[in-house]
Each structure stands twice: as structure tokens, then as C-alpha cells.
């Protein structure tokens, strides 16, 4: 028994209770900030003046967006209707000074200063982009209480820790429409991210119109691709937000979709059609180990690196795409090529022998080197995933570190060779890790260019992708921007959920889409009761879903299956869990009547979950997948209420009761329908609260 | 006192209680339908076969959309993944037979038959479009209960009452982006509407790219307009749903935006810039009467009908636009030209004298006739608002009847002259009328071509327009489609809110955007409590908002002001009201304990509204606008609880108590912040329930 209790032991840091006011509601936290007593009161006479290059349209567009956001949020209907180049009076409430008209460039000065005094706010920046970052802070400074809307009096000096603060979105496995990308760009801008990296080609689809090689998109996609006009529009939209778009076209592997139209580029003759190269037998479960062996031994579609015609094709293609995408970077992927198809081809083996190429890793290096020369010729810097790193790699090439199995010293090796590092290892959003896990990650001690959160879309689509990326990416954005980090997870989550609501208000659909998916899932039964359950579930962590999924009968071909299961809907990092956790920690520490009452109200709602949802479970196979969670949640909540009664009446629980609860807690640890019960640690803590001494810690999840 | 009680008297038709199963959950209701006992059970082996022209891509796209909707809603993960021309087996679960491959054309055969038997479903249609209408019915037939998902056994024979079933959206007053239009198209298709009429030019903006006259959009808009590529994409999107897009370019009035780039077209020399021509003094209230006088006496911007160069311009313009828009109709507006500017121009007066044109009404007829010849020359049928109707109007011209002040005989006059009539009078969605008011409208006895719901956007924008149009437009769609109508408003609302949820599930953002607007409105205070209040408010009816608005200090210039007030958010037809009404009617009729309990729970929640929201009212001026409603809701709910206690204990209320409640009810009748308390009749009924005899009727709102 002891071991069991230790396992579920309870830890409450006292920091969890103090409202950490020195972070205000800002995300990311500025480099330095001093807060004074008092406030700048917002009224309808609030005005803005801009002292900037009158031709700086990015600046003026941003100022007007900020002004409208303040106007909408306060509901004050400011008398000033629009801010133009004529608005440069020294008597305005907010004066924005920008020295240099600039567009976003990696490594530029993005710093700004804000001074809020009782009657005046100033924002100063060296560059337009610095001013944009500062305007987001001003929006976040807007506060309100019973005396109305105001800005707290602060002095802020801010600048980013890393030059590259990116988000990667895979638009191949599931296509992600332009409007979804734009909403992500808005959200990125709100938390000061500056690179949207689009993974534009993969086995499952080629997602950009090529005019030079039109069969890339016509044969290499299901019709879902971006036209060049849409790409230009997206780039301009991003540019106005101070974000650059970095395109990735993955070669030499992950390239089936190229070969659908142009099989002559491939090592094997084809024919090809876009789709996953993993041929999985639906009829029986596949173990992760077996899958790994398949990945290592299958001759996946791959470019033929020995043909000159391949480089001629890539030259023309890179030429076309580098003129379409103005950013000075070009990502060539270069990941996960196992070399098997090359080894099986006698002409390639002969080529290797003739050219003294020892193995397929060196052949990949040869290919990368050839492609890098083309990218350089077209005036861009090349980027690749960490598999492209080799001793002879040009120092110009940026290396994006991701492999979970890569050596802990990899960053050090790359950095010491002089290649800039973009860190994505630890920032894979598709692993369903809670925000604090990404946030607490130890960063390398070497100097790196920055980092990128990555959203792969094997099990994310246009409807749920916003719920997968946000608000978690905001915590990662803070990690990339802020030199100091807040160690208290409760303050991280406090600010994260404020940020989440603000992103929703200004257009992000993460909350809306979640609600709509729950509505569909509820199948005409009670939406509220269904939501109450899914609110406290989270998808299983890591790649358990991707591996585990194929063992389930409900959907063997997950890439074309609708993403409608509880695991596709449930929040990665359940807000309801963190809100409940706050109450539980307060109750366990203080035993206050108000916290007890709040917890009891919540527990009573959960206790009725199973009875409420029984008809839904009968009706819907999708719902039935999570029935056990509903049963457990109800039973555990009832047990918590008993435990609280026992505690109040100083009644010791019987051995049998404890044994029953242990069995229940064991069952509740399980995943059903690929989701887990997010509030299990908190429910455990309540059940076990009577143990004396109070156990010292319990796991966060 | 008696008069007061009569005013608030209670009417409960017994029909309200019977679950009208003969309508199932269908909207619109089919022409004829017979329901049998039993069901077709949906399982993962559900398959679809299509017997249609293999080149009929509209049909195959629609079949796959329907199939995915069924797949998503049931969560059954059908084994069949996609339906192709090869899928034509006689053993499929659902067989779709289409005789003729067609696109949407007004007046075509849109009929279909559905037969659901225990083991097989068939859908037969003469045309592709009929099949599309039938597929929407199949989606609506999908039901579920504790034995899973199924289709009820039915025979349906269906065909529309009217050939023209439209929705007009004004994209000028506020620009409505393409993705919002596409969501509206999806929703229209779901309820079998077939025309999206876009009001593309008005004083405030010219919203389509012209390549022939590029200053139309560059000078005539704020940059928000559709490119020709976007228009083509929209037309193709609509075409796949069986919907045609009818463009309207409003002439000779409502035309300031044309003149911004081409002032030579106007009667007065200009200069012009896009914007409302109503110059309203912000400093003092304007009465509706005064505004009406202004409308009748102001020389608004208007085309010069006497210049040949104007017709040359229009010829080229109509030529360009008729090739952009493939539909055989071209709407020229022709509404609300008061003729004042013409009367003030001596050259025009001389022209009239020379050409024996008696008055400006005849001059307008001359202009319309000239334009109609151009429209005809470019191969289209002309449409105009009812002001264009005159004795000599060509019979070819379609007349859209809208004017609230027009003679009741207008439809008869137009029809007897042989012009097709599109009825919009009574279907103006921007008047904030509940759905049943539109639904109960008496239709003209003459033969008409059809009708159109109309959404003007002076006080609607991209964020709230879906909440203004839907779900109300679904009730109107039923009126235009179904030959029989259901007289029980409770069954209308039952089906309307089921339809509303389904539209939300499949992508419409009316519910999501409502929630997001409430979130912003709640300003960081309790979202749930704020929603609880706004859920039972509705905007003031008719054009009170448009006229009333200008008297309010919060925002005088409403067209550029953010639409963030409670009146911009609140549902036109509050669902919470209808759900509460259902409970109240049941309680008043049966006095059952379960209905009493449900009502008490609801009343307790409302009773605490004011206490909960006090901090919000202190903080936000926007919220303060509706504070009185919160006070009244809380006080009335408390009174209702007292009344129910009194009733149970057979206690007569005191005179004083009744007097207090009368005062409260009087106050609650008021509009505050341009919204009204939607549940007032139901609360009144509960308060007054003790009166004996029970009053016989109470007003619906």
C-alpha cells in the first residue's frame, strides 16, 4: 500500500497560491519591466499618434489593427476613427515612435520600449517590427476592473532571446486551408513569433501550384493545393504581421507526391500516386517495434541522386519557388531517408562505387550538396532537418534539430561546426504534451538561432488543428522570446488561458471548433453533459496514438478517416484540469469552506456524468469508446465526496474502502479510446487526503 | 388592473405539447411523406452506389460530401472510403439514380423521391440538382437513439413550391469575406435554397474587381473587394451545391462608390468618395420622421440618365460583368432614387422637356429601359427592386418586391402585367423579427417566381452576419420550398434549432461567433454568467435600431463603429426563450412536479444574474447598457419563484405584491441598449398564474 500512496503522493508548492502580479497578464514576459502604483485610464477620448516614416504601411496598418482591438475590447467607441500619417500630435494619449521603416528579417532589431504614465503612453522602437511587437504588448496591457478599462503604469524594455521563433505546419498529411493559416498567423503575431514554416510537400500531397511543372500539384494532390496567387496573398498577410513564410519541399525522401506526375525523378520506376508509403495490414495489430523495423527496411519512394536530369528539374523548380517565396531561406527537408531503395538499385550502387561514395548516408550528403549549390545559386540559404547534417556540410546551411533519438550532443556538434541551429526537438506539438512540459525543457547552452514548434498533421486537420497548436504554442513562444522564465506552472497556466481567451476573441477558432466538434460528438443528446466529460480528457501522450491507432477497429486508415473521435477533440492540455487543480491545491492547503464548497459543486457535476451520458453511450460507438472514463469519473467523484465527508467527521476510511478506491484509481489510469482522464492526480489527492502525514508530492499527470 | 392582466394574458395551444412526429426532423418539410414502423440501421458496412452520367462531377462531389457527413455524424468509419463512377452495384445500401446531368437553372425539375426500406435506401431524381436536394433530405433523415444510428422507414416525394428560393447578402455596407459567403452557401444548400443574390455595389463600396474600369474598386472601396478569380471560385463553389450567384450592381441611385473613380457618370460633378450619403448631425437625436424627410429631400448621388457616355460605360461594364457571372440574370437595383438631384439640374430638366418626360419617375423608367436593352444585348434577363416597375416595363424583367410601404396589390399588378415576381417584402432579416413571424406571413394568391430573404449590412459585419441570417433563414427556406406548412410554432422551433445545430456541426459559425462575441463582451469576468443574460435578450425589432442608434452617445457613426454591443450579439430569435417557453407551457397546463422543478432551476439561475454581473457592469460601459435587463431578470425570476410558492400553498398574493410586479413588468417591457428581454411573456405568465380564471392568451413577444 505504501508504494501506491507514494506513487500518488501530493505536492503543493506554496507559490501556486500567490497571484504573481509581476507578470501581469503578459505572454511572452518582457525582458525587463517595472510596475508602479496607479493607472492610465482608458476613455473614449483615447487617441494615437504615430511618428514614423509616412510610407511605412506595415506600421500604420498595425497601429490601426491595435486601435480597433482596443476599441472592440473596451467598447468605448473612441472618437478618433482611424490613424493616418496626419496623426502625429504630441498631445495624443499614445505616441508611437519608429526610427526605421523595415520588413521582418531574421536577426534584426525587434526591441521596443513602453512607458505607461498616468496621462500618456509611449512606445518606441528602432524598427517597424519592434513597434509591432510592442503593440501586441500594449494590447496585452489592457486591463479592467470595477473602475473600468486601464493600463497599469509600467516601464518595459523588451527584446527577444532568439532571432528565430517559428511554428511549422504540415499542410500535406491533411490539407490546411489558407484561412486557417491566416488565423494561425494572427495568433503567432499576438505572441511575437516571426516564422511560419510550411511543410509543403510530402508523400501524401504536393500543396503548391507550380507553373513550370504543373503535374506536381495536378497529379500529386487530391486537388487541395495553394495557387501561387494564394501564396502571394498569404506572404503579404504574414509580412504585415512581421512574420516570414519559409517554404519546405521535402527531398530526397517523403516525396511520393512529386513522382505521381514525374516518376522519372524517382529511384524506382513507379507508377506513383500520393499517399502514405506505409502499407499497414488492417487485419491485425502492429507493434511499435514492428513498425520501426518496417520504417528501417522498406524501400520508400526516393529521388534518384545519380541522374543529372533530377538536378536540372530541381534547378528549374527551385528557381520558380524561390521567386514565389521572398524569404531568404529555402527548406529542403532531407529527413528520414533510410537509403534502402538506393541500395536495391544496381545503377545507383555502381554510381556510388564509381564515385567513391561509401554508403547511402554519404550519397545523401552528395545529393544535399548538389541541391545546396542550386539553392545558393538562386540566392537563398538552405535549411534541412538534422539528418542532413554531416561533417562537410556548408556552414551556410541552417540545421533544424528534431530527432528524438539524436545524440544529446548534436546541437553542440552542429554549433561548433558553425551551422546555425533551429531547435524543434522537444517542441513537437503532435506529441500531445502539456504546455509546461515544453516550457520546462532545458535549453542547450550553445548559442542557437532559435526554435520552432512543429505541428505534423497525420492526425490533425482543418477542423481540429487550432486546438492542437493553441494555446500551447503561446507557452513555447514565451520560451523563445523571454530571457527569464517563470518557474511557477500555475502562473504559466494563468497567463496561458488568458492568452487563449484573447486569441479566441480576436478570431482564432480553437475554442469554437472544439465546441462544434463536441456538439457533433453529442449526437443530439446533451451537449453540456458531453462537454463536461470531454473537458477533462486528454489524448494519450507521445506517439501512442499514431502507433496505437492502427490496432483499433474503428479506423484503420487514419489519414483518410474523419477526425471525430474523443481523442481528436479533447484538449491537449485540459483547462478544466488546471482550474480544478487550483481549487484542490487551495483546499488541501487551507481546508477553507469556500474552496471545499467549490470542489463539492464540481464533484457533484462529475458524479452524475455516467447517468447523464448513458443514452449517448448506447447510441454512439464513438461515445462508447470513452464510457469507461465517464464511469470512472463518476465513481471517483463520489469517492472524493465521501473522503471529504470522512475528513470533516474525522472518520478513518476502512481498509476495504481504500482497497476499492485503489482498484478504481488503477482502472482510471488506463486510456480508453486513446484518451486519458486529465484530473486523475487531483481526484487521487482528494481521496487520499486523510492519510497522515499528507504525502509530499503527486505527479502532474 | 384588469386591462393590464388582459394585456399579459396567457395562451397555450394544446398542439404545443404533442411531439409532431410526422415532420420528423426535416426542414424544409417534403411535399409528401409517409412514415412506416421500423428502421434502416446504419452500420460500418453502409455503402453507396450511383447510377448517373459518369461525367456528372457535381453529382459525384455531392455524393461524397453526403457520405462524409454521414460518416462524421455516425462515427461509424464506413468501410467504403470514396464513391466513384465504379460504385454502381445493385447491392449497395443506398442507390442514387439520376436521369439527366444538369447544372442549376431556375425553373428546372428539382424533384426527387426517397424510399427507405429495412435493407435498402433509394434516391431517384430526374436531374442532378434534384438528387442534390434529396441528398440533403437523406442527411436530415439520419437519426439516433439508444439502439444507434438509423433512418426511419419513409417514402418521400418532394418538389419545391417556388422555383426561386434566394438569399440576398449586402456586401457593401460591411464587406463580407469569401469564406463567410461559402459558409452561407453550405447552409443554404442544406435547406434547399438555390439563389445567392449579392448586392455588390452601393454608396459605401464597390465590391468586385473590374478590369475594364479598375477605378471602380480602387477608388470605390476601402480595399475590400472580390477579385475576379475569387468570384469565379465562389461561382464554382455555389454551382457544386446547386446554387446560382446573381450579381446586383445598383443604379441609378445608391451609387456613390461608382462616382469616386468615375465622377463623370454622376449628375453632380463631385468629387465623391465611398460612404453613406446620409449626413447625420451627431450632436442631437434625429427622429424617424426627420430622417424620412431627409431621405425624400436630399439630392443623393445618382447617375446622369441624359448622357450617352453613361450608357456607353454601362454597356462595357455590363459586358464585362455578364461574362464574369454565368447566371442568366443581372440585377440593376433601381431602388430608392428620389429624383431630387435630377430636378436640381437644369440640363436634365431641359432633356426631360425636350423628350416629353413628365417627371423623374418617368425619367427613371427611361433610364431603366435603356439599361434593360444593354442587359438584353449581353444575353441576360434583368432584375430590379420594385421601384423599377412601371406600365411600360418589358415583361422580361423580374421584379423584386420589397417596399414595406408598397400597395398590397403591387404583386397582383406586376403579375397581371406578366412580369415574374420575387418576393422579399416580409423577408427582411435585418428587421430582427422572430422566425415564426416570417413563417406565418400570408403569401400572395398570384403565381410568383419565388422569394428571397434579404440581409442588409448597415449593422451586420463578417463577425455577426451568420447570427443574423441563421437559423431564421431556414424557416424562410421552408416557406419557399414546402407546399404545406406546419402551423404549430413549437414544431417549427423544434426543427429550427435541430437544423441550427446541424448547420453548426457542418461548418456554419453562427453559434461559434456568438460565443466568441459574448466572450469579448464579458471582458474577463464570468463568460457563463454573461452568456446566461445575453441568451435571453433580443435586438429591438424593425428599424428601431437603425433610427434609434443615432440618438445614442456610444456610437454615432455606426457604419465604421465596431459591432460589439449586446444588440449586435444577441440572437434575433433567442433559443433560450423558446426552450423556457416549452417548459412554462407544460407547467401551466399540467403543473407537473418535473416541469416545476425544471423551471425553478432555471429561475434560480436567472435570479442571481444581477449579483453575478455587478462587477462587469461597473467595469464595462458596453455591459452597463444592459444592466437594467439583468436587474429586471433577477427581480422577475424571484417574483416567479414566489408566485410558484404562493400557488403551491394556495396563498393569494397581496394587492401590494401585484402592484410591485406590475411596476416591474412595465420596466421590463423597456428596451435598454437596444435589446429587449425575450422571456418577458413567459415570466409574466408565471407571475400571473394564480389569477382565476387563468387568462386565455398572452402575446408571443
Amino acid at each position: 500500500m505504501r508504494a501506491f500512496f507514494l506513487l500518488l503522493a501530493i505536492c503543493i508548492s506554496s507559490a501556486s497560491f500567490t497571484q504573481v502580479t509581476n507578470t501581469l497578464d503578459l505572454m511572452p514576459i518582457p525582458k525587463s519591466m517595472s510596475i508602479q502604483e496607479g493607472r492610465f485610464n482608458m476613455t473614449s477620448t483615447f487617441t494615437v499618434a504615430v511618428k514614423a516614416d509616412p510610407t511605412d504601411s506595415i506600421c500604420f496598418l498595425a497601429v490601426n489593427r491595435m486601435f480597433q482591438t482596443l476599441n472592440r475590447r473596451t467598447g468605448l467607441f473612441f472618437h478618433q476613427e482611424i490613424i493616418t500619417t496626419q496623426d502625429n500630435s504630441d498631445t495624443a494619449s499614445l505616441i508611437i515612435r519608429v526610427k526605421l521603416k523595415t520588413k521582418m528579417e531574421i536577426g534584426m532589431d525587434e526591441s521596443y520600449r513602453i512607458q505607461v504614465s498616468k496621462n500618456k503612453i509611449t512606445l518606441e522602437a528602432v524598427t517597424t517590427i519592434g513597434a509591432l511587437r510592442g503593440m501586441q504588448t500594449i494590447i496585452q496591457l489592457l486591463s479592467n476592473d470595477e473602475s473600468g478599462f486601464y493600463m497599469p503604469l509600467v516601464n518595459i524594455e523588451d527584446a527577444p532571446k532568439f532571432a528565430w521563433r517559428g511554428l511549422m505546419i504540415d499542410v500535406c498529411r491533411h490539407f490546411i486551408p489558407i484561412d486557417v493559416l491566416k488565423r494561425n498567423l494572427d495568433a503567432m503575431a499576438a505572441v511575437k513569433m516571426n516564422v511560419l514554416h510550411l511543410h509543403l510537400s510530402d508523400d501524401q500531397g504536393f500543396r503548391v501550384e507550380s507553373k513550370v511543372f504543373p503535374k506536381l500539384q495536378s497529379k500529386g494532390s487530391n486537388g487541395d493545393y495553394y495557387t501561387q496567387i494564394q501564396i502571394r496573398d498569404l506572404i503579404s498577410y504574414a509580412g504585415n504581421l512581421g512574420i516570414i513564410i519559409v517554404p519546405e519541399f521535402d527531398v530526397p525522401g517523403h516525396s511520393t507526391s512529386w513522382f505521381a506526375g514525374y516518376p522519372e525523378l524517382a529511384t524506382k520506376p513507379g507508377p506513383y500516386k500520393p499517399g502514405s508509403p506505409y502499407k499497414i495490414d488492417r487485419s491485425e495489430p502492429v507493434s511499435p517495434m514492428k513498425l520501426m523495423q518496417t520504417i528501417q527496411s522498406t524501400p520508400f519512394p526516393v529521388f534518384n541522386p545519380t541522374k543529372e536530369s533530377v538536378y536540372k528539374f530541381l534547378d528549374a523548380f527551385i528557381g520558380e519557388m524561390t521567386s514565389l517565396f521572398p524569404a531568404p531561406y529555402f527548406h529542403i527537408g532531407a529527413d528520414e531517408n533510410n537509403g534502402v531503395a538506393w541500395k536495391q538499385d544496381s545503377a545507383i550502387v555502381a554510381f556510388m562505387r564509381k564515385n567513391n561514395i561509401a554508403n547511402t548516408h554519404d550519397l545523401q550528403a552528395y545529393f544535399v550538396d548538389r541541391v545546396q549549390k542550386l539553392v545558393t545559386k538562386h540566392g537563398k540559404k538552405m535549411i534541412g532537418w538534422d539528418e542532413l547534417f554531416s561533417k562537410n556540410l556548408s556552414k551556410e546551411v541552417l540545421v533544424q534539430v528534431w530527432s528524438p533519438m539524436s545524440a544529446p550532443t548534436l546541437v553542440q556538434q552542429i554549433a561548433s561546426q558553425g551551422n546555425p541551429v533551429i531547435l524543434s526537438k522537444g517542441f513537437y506539438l503532435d506529441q500531445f504534451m502539456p504546455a509546461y512540459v515544453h516550457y520546462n525543457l532545458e535549453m542547450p547552452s550553445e548559442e542557437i538561432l532559435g526554435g520552432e514548434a512543429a505541428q505534423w498533421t497525420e492526425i490533425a486537420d482543418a477542423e481540429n488543428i487550432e486546438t492542437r497548436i493553441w494555446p500551447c504554442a503561446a507557452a513555447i513562444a514565451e520560451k523563445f522570446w523571454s530571457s527569464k522564465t517563470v518557474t511557477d506552472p500555475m502562473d504559466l497556466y494563468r497567463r496561458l488561458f488568458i492568452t487563449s481567451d484573447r486569441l479566441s476573441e480576436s478570431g482564432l477558432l480553437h475554442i469554437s471548433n472544439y465546441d462544434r466538434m463536441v456538439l457533433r460528438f453529442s449526437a443530439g443528446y446533451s451537449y453540456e453533459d458531453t462537454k463536461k466529460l470531454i473537458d477533462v480528457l486528454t489524448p494519450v501522450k507521445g506517439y501512442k496514438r499514431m502507433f496505437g491507432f492502427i490496432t483499433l477497429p474503428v479506423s484503420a486508415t487514419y489519414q483518410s478517416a474523419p477526425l471525430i473521435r474523443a481523442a481528436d477533440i479533447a484538449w491537449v492540455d485540459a483547462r478544466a484540469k488546471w482550474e480544478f487543480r487550483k481549487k484542490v491545491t487551495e483546499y488541501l492547503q487551507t481546508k477553507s469552506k469556500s474552496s471545499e464548497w467549490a470542489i463539492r459543486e464540481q464533484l457533484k457535476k462529475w458524479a452524475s456524468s455516467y447517468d447523464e451520458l448513458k443514452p449517448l453511450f448506447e447510441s454512439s460507438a464513438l461515445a462508447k469508446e470513452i464510457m469507461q472514463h465517464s464511469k470512472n469519473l463518476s465513481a471517483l467523484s463520489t469517492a472524493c465526496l465521501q473522503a471529504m465527508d470522512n475528513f470533516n467527521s474525522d472518520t478513518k476510511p476502512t481498509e476495504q474502502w481504500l482497497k476499492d478506491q485503489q482498484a478504481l484509481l488503477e482502472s482510471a489510469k488506463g486510456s480508453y479510446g486513446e484518451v486519458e482522464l486529465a484530473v486523475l492526480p487531483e481526484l487521487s489527492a482528494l481521496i487520499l487526503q486523510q492519510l497522515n502525514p499528507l504525502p509530499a508530492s503527486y505527479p502532474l499527470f
Side-chain angles (χ1 to χ4, degrees), chain A:
Chain A
M1 286 292 268
R2 174 162 294 274
F4 167 65
F5 289 140
L6 283 177
L7 189 75
L8 293 157
I10 300 161
C11 153
I12 307 118
S13 89
S14 64
S16 311
F17 302 111
T18 24
Q19 175 85 349
V20 186
T21 52
N22 64 359
T23 57
L24 298 173
D25 298 340
L26 302 182
M27 181 162 259
I29 299 169
K31 194 172 180 181
S32 95
M33 170 163 64
S34 67
I35 307 170
Q36 289 92 47
E37 281 292 305
R39 48 177 67 182
F40 173 97
N41 287 312
M42 297 291 291
T43 69
S44 59
T45 60
F46 178 78
T47 52
V48 179
V50 182
K51 310 211 173 213
D53 185 329
T55 68
D56 191 348
S57 67
I58 291 181
C59 176
F60 280 92
L61 284 168
V63 171
N64 278 289
R65 281 197 308 272
M66 175 202 68
F67 189 69
Q68 278 312 317
T69 300
L70 297 175
N71 203 12
R72 285 185 163 247
R73 204 161 278 170
T74 59
L76 287 167
F77 296 92
F78 301 140
H79 297 169
Q80 190 179 12
E81 282 187 24
I82 189 170
I83 296 121
T84 70
T85 51
Q86 269 87 60
D87 294 300
N88 54 13
S89 150
D90 285 323
T91 60
S93 326
L94 164 59
I95 296 176
I96 298 173
R97 285 194 185 84
V98 188
K99 276 210 186 104
L100 296 171
K101 172 185 163 185
T102 55
K103 297 189 165 192
M104 178 62 215
E105 281 174 37
I106 297 297
M108 77 188 305
D109 185 332
E110 293 182 75
S111 73
Y112 67 90
R113 287 156 168 256
I114 289 173
Q115 189 159 21
V116 182
S117 61
K118 227 168 151 150
N119 299 308
K120 186 166 279 320
I121 305 171
T122 57
L123 163 60
E124 294 176 316
V126 177
T127 68
T128 307
I129 305 304
L132 262 57
R133 308 301 174 227
M135 288 181 225
Q136 295 294 348
T137 303
I138 285 180
I139 290 171
Q140 293 184 359
L141 283 172
L142 181 69
S143 311
N144 62 310
D145 63 14
E146 51 292 342
S147 353
F149 285 87
Y150 66 95
M151 308 258 180
L153 302 191
V154 284
N155 282 322
I156 291 175
E157 298 207 16
D158 200 7
K161 180 163 64 171
F162 294 125
W164 187 290
R165 304 178 306 280
L167 170 65
M168 188 225 66
I169 298 181
D170 168 10
V171 299
C172 301
R173 273 59 179 264
H174 281 91
F175 183 66
I176 306 299
I178 289 284
D179 58 324
V180 183
L181 294 182
K182 286 186 176 172
R183 293 199 296 266
N184 275 284
L185 284 166
D186 291 335
M188 288 171 68
V191 293
K192 304 182 171 55
M193 294 176 109
N194 61 10
V195 177
L196 176 62
H197 161 185
L198 293 177
H199 181 75
L200 290 165
S201 73
D202 210 306
D203 295 308
Q204 292 85 347
F206 196 98
R207 303 302 188 187
V208 175
E209 175 192 30
S210 167
K211 292 184 197 273
V212 181
F213 303 109
K215 282 188 282 182
L216 284 173
Q217 71 272 12
S218 66
K219 302 254 176 183
S221 83
N222 57 347
D224 284 333
Y225 61 84
Y226 310 120
T227 64
Q228 295 203 357
I229 286 172
Q230 286 178 314
I231 290 287
R232 284 201 189 89
D233 173 54
L234 187 74
I235 289 166
S236 135
Y237 190 91
N240 283 336
L241 298 167
I243 297 173
I244 61 169
I245 306 265
V246 171
E248 177 189 349
F249 296 95
D250 207 345
V251 289
H254 282 284
S255 46
T256 311
S257 64
W258 298 68
F259 307 149
Y262 303 93
E264 62 275 18
L265 301 172
T267 296
K268 289 177 184 277
Y272 293 92
K273 62 176 188 169
S276 170
Y278 300 93
K279 303 299 171 222
I280 291 159
D281 181 3
R282 283 164 164 242
S283 59
E284 53 183 276
V286 178
S287 72
M289 192 58 76
K290 176 112 183 281
L291 194 63
M292 200 55 84
Q293 282 165 3
T294 310
I295 289 170
Q296 283 164 0
S297 64
T298 305
F300 291 126
V302 61
F303 275 75
N304 186 329
T306 68
K307 283 183 175 174
E308 281 310 305
S309 58
V310 163
Y311 299 105
K312 210 178 142 196
F313 183 103
L314 287 174
D315 187 10
F317 175 77
I318 294 169
E320 183 186 18
M321 290 301 139
T322 50
S323 30
L324 179 61
F325 291 92
Y329 307 94
F330 193 85
H331 202 306
I332 65 148
D335 55 321
E336 296 188 313
N337 168 25
N338 64 11
V340 176
W342 288 348
K343 278 183 220 158
Q344 289 178 353
D345 186 288
S346 58
I348 292 179
V349 171
F351 177 90
M352 287 168 69
R353 206 171 303 131
K354 189 179 150 198
N355 291 279
N356 282 323
I357 295 170
N359 51 42
T360 53
H361 184 76
D362 288 356
L363 183 58
Q364 154 116 354
Y366 165 82
F367 176 83
V368 164
D369 182 60
R370 292 288 304 266
V371 175
Q372 199 247 329
K373 288 193 171 77
L374 299 175
V375 171
T376 306
K377 173 183 148 189
H378 291 290
K380 304 284 176 171
K381 285 183 186 160
M382 192 166 91
I383 314 179
W385 297 102
D386 59 31
E387 289 97 324
L388 113 167
F389 181 66
S390 67
K391 272 184 204 156
N392 300 317
L393 185 70
S394 158
K395 288 184 189 15
E396 289 286 292
V397 178
L398 287 72
V399 182
Q400 186 162 11
V401 173
W402 77 278
S403 316
M405 311 301 244
S406 63
T409 55
L410 181 62
V411 168
Q412 193 267 322
Q413 284 174 52
I414 299 168
S416 69
Q417 196 170 302
N419 292 80
V421 171
I422 301 166
L423 192 67
S424 281
K425 186 176 174 176
F427 300 114
Y428 266 37
L429 295 166
D430 63 332
Q431 296 223 359
F432 305 108
M433 304 307 281
Y436 80 91
V437 172
H438 299 294
Y439 194 72
N440 287 348
L441 207 77
E442 200 175 328
M443 294 294 274
S445 51
E446 294 78 20
E447 197 176 307
I448 62 173
L449 185 61
E452 261 187 24
Q455 179 62 50
W456 300 98
T457 54
E458 282 91 346
I459 41 178
D461 67 6
E463 188 172 43
N464 77 350
I465 192 169
E466 284 154 276
T467 71
R468 271 49 201 128
I469 298 177
W470 303 100
C472 185
I476 298 176
E478 171 157 305
K479 192 155 183 87
F480 294 161
W481 176 279
S482 302
S483 21
K484 59 175 175 189
T485 53
V486 171
T487 48
D488 176 13
M490 293 312 270
D491 188 62
L492 171 70
Y493 280 104
R494 181 185 70 79
R495 292 179 298 115
L496 192 64
F497 293 124
I498 290 172
T499 304
S500 181
D501 277 351
R502 284 176 177 166
L503 294 177
S504 177
E505 268 180 57
S506 56
L508 195 71
L509 291 186
H510 61 317
I511 297 173
S512 302
N513 281 352
Y514 172 79
D515 290 345
R516 292 197 306 159
M517 290 187 284
V518 172
L519 177 63
R520 183 190 299 122
F521 191 91
S522 66
Y525 291 95
S526 165
Y527 161 74
E528 276 78 19
D529 297 332
T530 310
K531 186 166 170 354
K532 199 167 68 180
L533 176 61
I534 299 185
D535 274 351
V536 293
L537 301 178
T538 54
V540 294
K541 311 294 167 209
Y543 281 144
K544 278 189 226 160
R545 278 204 73 196
M546 289 235 245
F547 294 133
F549 205 105
I550 51 176
T551 67
L552 282 167
V554 282
S555 165
T557 58
Y558 57 80
Q559 292 194 4
S560 62
L563 300 180
I564 51 175
R565 302 170 64 210
D568 300 311
I569 301 171
W571 289 108
V572 176
D573 207 355
R575 181 178 188 158
K577 176 231 168 69
W578 293 105
E579 285 171 352
F580 185 59
R581 184 176 184 82
K582 202 175 163 223
K583 289 177 199 148
V584 171
T585 36
E586 189 188 332
Y587 165 73
L588 291 178
Q589 216 184 42
T590 68
K591 297 280 157 145
S592 75
K593 279 289 144 196
S594 67
S595 65
E596 182 179 337
W597 182 85
I599 288 169
R600 280 181 181 272
E601 286 300 299
Q602 180 63 74
L603 291 171
K604 275 186 248 167
K605 285 181 189 164
W606 286 335
S608 58
S609 167
Y610 180 60
D611 283 344
E612 286 156 358
L613 293 178
K614 242 186 215 161
L616 172 63
F617 297 136
E618 294 299 315
S619 170
S620 153
L622 278 186
K624 203 163 193 173
E625 282 197 318
I626 57 167
M627 182 173 72
Q628 190 59 45
H629 282 308
S630 173
K631 279 187 181 168
N632 291 340
L633 179 65
S634 292
L636 286 169
S637 298
T638 305
C640 286
L641 288 164
Q642 289 165 356
M644 291 170 92
D645 289 343
N646 285 346
F647 183 87
N648 290 350
S649 62
D650 231 343
T651 312
K652 280 263 164 288
T654 64
E655 275 297 307
Q656 185 57 45
W657 187 87
L658 281 170
K659 218 169 153 182
D660 290 349
Q661 303 326 312
Q662 179 177 16
L664 197 52
L665 288 167
E666 277 304 310
S667 161
K669 270 196 219 164
S671 69
Y672 307 96
E674 300 182 14
V675 287
E676 292 168 348
L677 187 60
V679 288
L680 184 58
E682 292 74 21
L683 295 173
S684 311
L686 288 173
I687 292 175
L688 305 175
Q689 62 168 315
Q690 287 171 281
L691 301 178
N692 199 347
L694 201 64
S697 69
Y698 72 95
L700 278 160
F701 70 94

